[in-house]
Amino acid sequence: MLRELFEDWLAEHTVKGGHDDEPGTVLVWRGANGAAQHAAVTLGDGWALHKPSQGWLSPTKVLASQDLKHSARAGGQRLHRRHLR
């Protein structure tokens, strides 16, 4: 992830908040230092899109939002929500 570009995009195109069951909520997992570690976007109706790996060949996945949140958990990280403008 190119964190600086991602943070710029978040600042320009999202606002704080959002709900897991509505489309356009950007889920951002941040480490203890505040740096983004992983991100996903909700599609609505309880579904979300994410890419579990930074490898070029790893697939993009659509998962139930609850399953995604459980699978992306990592020690020391906190989940933040932003909503597309």
Side-chain angles (χ1 to χ4, degrees), residues 28-43:
V28 182
W29 286 262
R30 294 185 180 279
N33 64 356
Q37 301 298 316
H38 185 66
V41 65
T42 59
L43 302 172

Side-chain angles (χ1 to χ4, degrees), residues 1 4 9-10 13 16 20 23 25 31-32 44 53 56-58 60 62 64 67 74 77:
M1 176 188 309
E4 187 175 319
W9 178 84
L10 279 176
H13 300 287
K16 186 176 179 179
D20 296 350
T25 298
S53 166
W56 286 105
L57 298 178
S58 68
T60 301
V62 174
D67 293 340
Q77 293 184 12

Side-chain angles (χ1 to χ4, degrees), residues 4 21 26 42 46 51 55 59 63 65 67 82:
E4 187 175 319
D21 59 342
V26 181
T42 59
K51 190 169 188 298
L63 297 172
S65 297
D67 293 340
R82 311 259 323 159

